[in-house]
Amino acid sequence: MRPDDAPLTTMEHQEIDTELFAERYVAGELAPEEQARFEEHFFDCAKCMETIEIVRRFRDDLSGAGVSVASSMPLRSRVPTLLLAASLLLAAAGAAYFYREDRDTRRELAALQGTSAKAVQHDREARSSETAGPLREAPLAATVFTLNLTRNAGSSGPDNRVSLGAGPHWLVFLFDEPEGRYSGPYRARLATTDGRPVGPPVDAASSSSGMLAASFLSTDLAPGDYALTVETASSGEPAPPVTYRFRAVADRVR
Amino acid sequence: MPAEDRRDPESLVRRIREGDPAAEEELVCRYRRPVALVLWGARRDPPAIDDLLQETFRIAIEKVRAGDLRQPDRLSGFLCSLARNLAVGHFRKIAARRITGPPDERALVSPEPSALENLLRSERAAIVRRVLSEMRSERDHQILFRFYLQEQEKAEICRDLGLTSLHFNRVLFRARERYRALYEEAERKAAG
């Protein structure tokens, strides 16, 4: 085997480092001819072989270390996720409260309210840094809706129904990640069916169910038909946007 | 024989042709790791890699013994191509069997990791968390997450985060080297 400091005939280490060959090899991103060239190089290069093995292990371990999307997002993007998580937990704890009125559940609920309040506080801070305008009161409750893709909306309108309910609360929409090579991040844009935007676009966060989630304030919506468009949030290879249509209704759907 | 001669691929090929079993063993020891990596690069299927690894060396030794390796100084290239071709052939066979033949019995094996694998995985996960905790910058976390887990393009990440290519490489290099050091330290502790 060639010693580490021996001259390289087919590939220079500077190029290997600059072009991240080891990382791209492990990710399966090298073009076939690049891959063949790199393989012939590392066959005789102990240093590159070791780097590939380290990168491979690190990548595997990173994915197994419970590193979530949320913990790797900047705080500004993380706030809606924190809110979503806290609100979902709050909603779940609230349901449990009605079924089992025991002390533990009450305690849990109180703790979750504290978590949610903290998230709201974060949200206020983030919003105040973005806009100088007055803050809106952020609600503590959330209702979760799963949106399905429907090809043709019949005369009765979109199949998806969303109850706006009473009082301000978060409307959390769950939907499938768009198919294709692109793996996020995504942004969700809500608009009326005649194209009027409803609030600013929000980040679509991964939820524990493997779906994407985006949350909007119920007070921003009036009864009517809406389109939630999910699109790529980065400027790389774009994935085609996916649009979910739903009808917001004032009362609970029977 | 001088040590340098023994490392020389031409000398290794000559010794195999002369029927030296130690030379065959040396071939396997010396090239096992890169051959396994090439097979992994092509298939990423650990059970298949073990089979293909054996097959690569069986064919290679037969060819060298028979004098079919015309350029002994190209031993590395020969092994590399052989491993790659076997992996591609295996992949095609599997794909054809999926379409026409009975189901692959490997598909029936539980994909769940064993208890030992789970234990090792949790230990390595702790190392990764330590590496991440030492990286104070949220941006550095994002780089690792987006590059290694979401497999986004370097150029795209740099553009989104306003980074230079050099900074990006430094973050990756630092994380990778820290991981290497911690991993080796953990291995040493486990061994000693």
Side-chain angles (χ1 to χ4, degrees), chain A residues 41 65 75 111 135 171 175 182 239 244 246:
Chain A
H41 164 77
L75 186 59
L135 292 174
L171 296 171
F175 41 87
Y182 183 83
Y244 294 88
F246 67 86

Side-chain angles (χ1 to χ4, degrees), chain B residues 9 19 45 102 109 192:
Chain B
D45 176 5
V109 176

Side-chain angles (χ1 to χ4, degrees), chain A residues 116-147:
Chain A
S116 187
K118 274 183 201 163
V120 169
Q121 184 58 36
H122 273 300
D123 190 38
R124 280 182 188 159
E125 285 164 14
R127 279 167 197 263
S128 67
S129 67
E130 282 172 14
T131 58
L135 292 174
R136 289 185 295 176
E137 194 62 33
L140 291 178
T143 318
V144 183
F145 297 95
T146 303
L147 298 179

Side-chain angles (χ1 to χ4, degrees), chain A residues 3-17:
Chain A
D4 289 350
D5 56 353
L8 303 170
T9 51
T10 53
M11 197 174 265
E12 296 294 338
H13 272 136
Q14 196 183 354
E15 184 192 355
I16 290 169
D17 291 340

Side-chain angles (χ1 to χ4, degrees), chain A residues 1-3 17-20 22-29 35-37 39-40 42-44 46 49-75 78 181-185 233-237, chain B residues 7 30-31 33-42 44 49 74-77 79-81 83-84 121 124-126 128-129 131-132 138 141-142 144-154 156 159-160 165 168-169 172-173 175-177 179-180 183-184 187:
Chain A
M1 197 153 303
R2 179 188 292 143
D17 291 340
T18 313
E19 300 297 323
L20 297 171
E23 275 83 1
R24 287 164 60 212
Y25 182 76
V26 172
E29 282 179 0
Q35 177 160 340
R37 216 171 120 229
E39 283 173 344
E40 286 190 15
F42 75 62
F43 229 83
D44 283 321
M49 248 190 295
E50 198 180 304
T51 302
I52 293 167
E53 283 165 355
I54 282 290
V55 169
R56 191 173 74 166
R57 212 177 286 149
F58 182 60
R59 203 177 98 136
D60 287 351
D61 295 348
L62 197 59
S63 63
V67 182
S68 66
V69 179
S71 71
S72 290
M73 278 193 223
L75 186 59
R78 221 162 43 192
R181 268 192 79 233
Y182 183 83
S183 58
S234 62
S235 49
E237 186 184 324
Chain B
R7 290 187 65 83
R30 196 191 292 185
Y31 291 104
R33 204 168 146 213
V35 167
L37 267 185
V38 168
L39 293 171
W40 177 85
R44 293 164 200 241
I49 289 172
R74 292 272 303 130
L75 179 62
S76 294
L79 284 168
C80 184
S81 303
R84 203 184 293 137
R121 197 176 285 182
R124 293 201 306 258
V128 167
R129 285 199 203 96
V131 171
L132 291 175
E138 190 66 40
H141 281 210
Q142 273 226 55
L144 296 179
F145 181 84
R146 291 175 67 172
F147 188 75
Y148 284 121
L149 293 186
Q150 294 191 326
E151 296 182 7
Q152 290 180 23
E153 296 287 343
K154 173 184 169 181
E156 185 187 331
R159 197 170 44 239
D160 287 354
S165 171
F168 182 94
N169 288 358
L172 247 54
F173 180 79
R176 184 216 294 163
E177 292 309 302
Y179 176 80
R180 185 203 303 266
Y183 192 85
E184 284 168 2
E187 273 188 332

